[in-house]
Amino acid sequence: MPLGQRLAATARAADRALDQELVRRGGSRTVYRVLHHLATRPAGNQAEVAEAMGLTGQTLSHHLGKLEAEGLLTRHRDPMDRRAHLVELTDAGHARLEEMRQTHREHERQLVSRLDPEEVDELERLLARVDRVFGVPAPTELERWLASFED
């Protein structure tokens, strides 16, 4: 199998394993992204959240409705723009986010525990090199994303 295809297949397998664990625990990657976004940015209106997350308003609205029904967030009219809804996490939403972060930490520990520390360092070095080959931007956003999972 060509190296690029193998790398993509490995990434998909790792993603699938994380997705399955999140679903098993009552979540999903999209739910995690929504909760994480709301927890790490000031309260915003629904349209701004959808744009920032790269989702359509309809897709985000679907997820927000489910999360609101679970008591994980609130939506209320923006007093400055009655057409817009402000979205904020509830305490239960913050707790669910922490559970999902823990799931991700466990998934990451499970992956890393199967490799020697030298192999982890080498894999990180090689992946960074492949990123440069493909012009992947410096991981500032990625670093912020990963920092959200730290203990």
Side-chain angles (χ1 to χ4, degrees), residues 70-90:
E70 291 181 46
L72 302 179
L73 59 84
T74 60
R75 291 188 284 185
H76 54 278
R77 293 264 182 223
D78 183 341
M80 303 302 279
D81 179 357
R82 301 294 294 160
R83 295 168 295 158
H85 285 92
L86 296 178
V87 184
E88 295 180 89
L89 282 186
T90 62

Side-chain angles (χ1 to χ4, degrees), residues 31-146:
V31 167
Y32 173 79
R33 286 183 61 220
V34 170
L35 296 177
H36 181 266
H37 180 88
L38 295 174
T40 58
R41 289 164 179 82
N45 74 45
Q46 200 166 309
E48 293 167 346
V49 173
E51 183 178 334
M53 294 185 66
L55 298 173
T56 66
Q58 184 177 8
T59 298
L60 180 64
S61 185
H62 168 77
H63 288 289
L64 293 180
K66 291 170 78 174
L67 296 172
E68 186 175 31
E70 291 181 46
L72 302 179
L73 59 84
T74 60
R75 291 188 284 185
H76 54 278
R77 293 264 182 223
D78 183 341
M80 303 302 279
D81 179 357
R82 301 294 294 160
R83 295 168 295 158
H85 285 92
L86 296 178
V87 184
E88 295 180 89
L89 282 186
T90 62
D91 289 343
H94 284 284
R96 174 70 63 86
L97 175 60
E98 186 51 40
E99 291 169 10
M100 295 179 87
R101 284 178 173 155
Q102 184 59 34
T103 298
H104 190 279
R105 285 185 205 107
E106 290 169 11
H107 177 76
E108 185 70 14
R109 278 194 283 272
Q110 196 173 57
L111 169 64
V112 171
S113 72
R114 294 180 173 133
L115 301 172
D116 294 332
E118 298 81 23
E119 291 174 317
V120 172
D121 290 344
E122 180 70 2
L123 181 57
E124 287 178 350
R125 187 185 68 72
L126 290 170
L127 288 173
R129 193 163 175 197
V130 170
D131 284 348
R132 287 191 300 275
V133 166
F134 288 106
V136 175
T140 55
E141 181 64 28
L142 177 60
E143 288 170 353
R144 284 192 289 267
W145 169 266
L146 293 175

